[in-house]
Amino acid sequence: MENEESIIIGSIVSVGKYEILYATAPYIDESNGEIENVQTVQYLNNAHVKYNEVHLHYKIDWKENGKSINAINFSMPIDKKHLQDIFVTTPYGLIKKNRTGIGATTLELNSPRNSIVVVPTRALAYGKAINSKIDEEINKYRVLYVGGNITGFSVPDISTYLMDDSIHYKKFIVVADSLPKLLNIIGKEHYKDYFLMIDEIDSYQYDCSYRPKMEDVMDYYFQFPLNHRCLVSATIGEFSNRDIEEEPVINVQFDSSQSRSIKLIHTDKAEIRLKKLIEEMVSANPNDKFLIAYNSVKGCATIINSLSDSLKSECGILCSSKNEEITEYYCDIVEDKLPKRITFMTCTYFVGVDIIERFHLITAINVQKPHTLLSTDKLQQIAGRCRYPDGVLSETIIYTTKNSTNTEGHNDLPKQIIKDAEMIASFGNSYPVLKRLCPNSYYFKEDFIEKDFIESTSKRYLGAKPIQLVRKNIDGVFVPSFFNIDFVRIQIDLLFKLYSAPDSLANALKAEGHIIEQCNCVENEDISANIIMQTNEDFQQANILQREELISILREERTIEARKAKARFLITQRISMQNSLFLNHFIELQEYVPFESLIDKLAIYGNNADYNKFYNFVIFWALDEAHSLKVTMKEKFPINGFFKSAQLTENFNTIYRGLLNYPNHPNLTPNKAIHLIKHFCTLSDRTSTRINGKPINGYRILNLNPFELEGEPLSRIPATTSVNRLLRF
């Protein structure tokens, strides 16, 4: 923002993307009751301030004095608790509200203009929309919910709502995944007629790794005019996306800190310690409620199953609706109150949910399950779910740590990841152009398959969860997946800083002003292996029952295209992640494998590693008989042929470096080569035979159908098709 024109005259401050307008207004000095005229902010980044009612103090954090600004900081007046007490409309830019429960979403939903508020979860959207009902007789709401289906909640369609003249200002609250649907109906030419708020923006950094479409929201965000958009969260950190970093920052400050009294329990086994603590606290506080934050649905169910029958009956789990049919403990918030005396919750409920009663809060963090790791900001958000004036009854955090010795260079890693992603995205965008320019080039002879390209950019950094470095934006251009990169940065910070030593979390919380009581517990037992096994079986059986229902629905369709459309629809419904994966696999292979055979095989080869082997074989099986790969495999690996390990390796390396087009890769080792051969051939166990009277150890080729597919493929892959980019190694 350097070198942008600055205007600072009289009652106007206009520097880069920041705008402040002063006014002179009467102000009552509460110390003596006298009225005096003072200068106060009238407009802040196009937001109308209630300057006749509040005297808004602010301070500019200058990047370069008089020329460029880092942020505008303003202090919440001591007697005001909500942004609606200060503003009529929301300022544009990146709003760091630094505290939960100050009503940023409520301000925009009540503002006198058309608004679109985007939230990360269905539960959050539903909670804001349900209370805006206008007519009890019909399904008419002032704020229209746009998102996946919710049982028992029916709303008008978008077009009907837009046509309703009795609702002057149109207010949409939309789940992130459903934003494209809404904007397609509104039309790009009408973006200027709406203010777009992206709420809880920090959660996109955490969730994008398993909800990749969430980052598309930012593509739409930047299509709205600068003064018609804002990003909001109570806990905003750094962003890899430079465009977000260049948004004007409004920083809400408070005279008093939100200091919390927290008991920290460091342990070597999080789940057994959590079980014991629940039993102890429930017994000691028979009339109180408990909220347990643990971001593992199966982990929550395992702990519940380890409790006595009487306590089990008092337990429930607040989690994604995709788990409704998967665990018997699934439940919903009831009138802003906890549904059970002992309520567990996962990350779906970590943001945006208001609970208007007191409870004991227990948060569990288990380094053995990296998705349960939480930053201090997230811990603050979780504590902020309690909207009772006196706060929670108590707060306890159970956590484990992992000594991370290989820390060299991790501070500079995010910058390197961005460079990697930019380079790969540039290659993806250039490939089709280069192929047109050099159609006969060895390097550009292959077809470019976008899905495979994006999947191939998945990479693991310093033990964090693998992430895809690039994505395709809404304009069809490959770009770095900045939220995925943010996720890696956050995970690395958590692993190498916050949870690398027992005192690290305590010191971080103390630095934020919290009162910390520490203790250490070493466990000499664990959750019963029988309970863990039974819980796993319960989840698996629930997934199987749900999958059978999905299969019945698919079976009713008569064509491949109809089944593809139905499967894509079912993915958007309340089904488990495991069954979403099943449907995606079904869509991918149903054009080759007959329906009944495919669903049987997918049930067997469900996890990613097994599925990739099955997928590779299906592609091979579906090849035209004249395809060079199929012909060569039959020549190199004839049925009943006997080969020493070295011969198998040599034969497959010839194919790997030739037909499969990996000329620059090193030769495969025997173990790796034999592993890949098993994608296409059934090998005997290592055995011995006599050749020319001498015993030889090796393998026999039993068949070229290791997955026992019967009949013929529904369709064939032409003999001219290059398959190296189709196969997954």
Side-chain angles (χ1 to χ4, degrees), residues 55 134 162 208 365 409-410 416 597 604 608 699 712 717:
H55 183 199
I134 297 172
L162 287 170
C208 195
I365 294 151
H410 79 269
Q416 183 58 51
S597 180
I604 299 170
N608 280 331
Y699 302 86
E712 294 292 317
I717 299 172

Side-chain angles (χ1 to χ4, degrees), residues 55-240:
H55 183 199
L56 188 63
H57 297 277
Y58 82 97
K59 184 177 181 180
I60 297 177
D61 176 9
W62 290 103
K63 189 174 186 179
E64 185 178 355
N65 196 26
K67 293 183 178 180
S68 60
I69 295 175
N70 282 321
I72 291 177
N73 305 321
F74 77 82
S75 299
M76 283 286 285
I78 295 175
D79 60 335
K80 305 298 181 185
K81 295 182 178 179
H82 301 102
L83 292 178
Q84 198 166 237
D85 297 331
I86 298 172
F87 295 101
V88 177
T89 55
T90 312
Y92 64 80
L94 180 59
I95 302 174
K96 299 184 177 184
K97 55 182 185 173
N98 294 310
R99 185 169 292 187
T100 58
I102 65 171
T105 307
T106 301
L107 166 63
E108 189 52 43
L109 291 177
N110 291 336
S111 65
R113 62 184 176 193
N114 299 325
S115 308
I116 300 169
V117 177
V118 185
V119 295
T121 67
R122 191 182 307 182
L124 181 49
Y126 171 77
K128 297 294 183 182
I130 190 66
N131 295 323
S132 72
K133 196 164 191 177
I134 297 172
D135 193 323
E136 292 295 333
E137 300 296 323
I138 58 174
N139 291 317
K140 185 172 180 178
Y141 296 85
R142 183 179 64 84
V143 178
L144 188 71
Y145 165 85
V146 181
N149 294 333
I150 296 176
T151 304
F153 183 51
S154 177
V155 297
D157 61 45
I158 296 168
S159 297
T160 300
Y161 177 79
L162 287 170
M163 295 289 288
D164 191 339
D165 293 334
S166 68
I167 302 175
H168 185 60
Y169 295 113
K170 306 303 180 185
K171 302 288 183 180
F172 294 97
I173 189 152
V174 54
V175 179
D177 297 340
S178 299
L179 182 62
K181 169 186 171 183
L182 172 63
L183 294 182
N184 284 339
I185 294 173
I186 287 175
K188 193 172 182 178
E189 67 275 15
H190 295 297
Y191 288 3
K192 65 183 186 306
D193 301 323
Y194 288 83
F195 188 88
L196 177 67
M197 171 185 282
I198 312 296
D199 197 17
E200 308 292 356
I201 185 60
D202 63 296
S203 68
Y204 292 60
Q205 297 170 305
Y206 283 85
D207 298 347
C208 195
S209 63
Y210 63 90
R211 290 175 63 190
K213 284 297 179 183
M214 289 187 78
E215 195 157 7
D216 288 356
V217 169
M218 295 311 304
D219 297 338
Y220 293 107
Y221 175 83
F222 287 111
Q223 290 184 347
F224 279 70
L226 172 65
N227 59 1
H228 283 233
R229 68 194 193 210
C230 76
L231 305 168
V232 181
S233 180
T235 55
I236 295 179
E238 299 177 32
F239 292 93
S240 302

Side-chain angles (χ1 to χ4, degrees), residues 370-425:
H371 51 279
T372 69
L373 299 183
L374 299 169
S375 65
T376 57
D377 288 344
K378 279 293 177 185
L379 293 170
Q380 176 186 326
Q381 281 188 333
I382 292 168
R385 295 310 100 225
C386 182
R387 294 293 201 250
Y388 195 85
D390 295 330
V392 297
L393 293 168
S394 69
E395 181 177 358
T396 306
I397 299 172
I398 295 172
Y399 68 107
T400 61
T401 54
K402 182 179 181 181
N403 184 21
S404 301
T405 56
N406 182 22
T407 61
E408 184 178 351
H410 79 269
N411 288 326
D412 297 326
L413 188 57
K415 292 179 181 178
Q416 183 58 51
I417 298 175
I418 293 173
K419 289 181 180 179
D420 294 347
E422 289 174 339
M423 184 166 52
I424 294 170

Side-chain angles (χ1 to χ4, degrees), residues 633-649:
M633 284 292 295
K634 288 181 177 179
E635 290 176 353
K636 296 286 187 183
F637 304 100
I639 295 175
N640 290 322
F642 186 84
F643 297 90
K644 293 189 292 185
S645 175
Q647 290 174 309
L648 288 175
T649 303

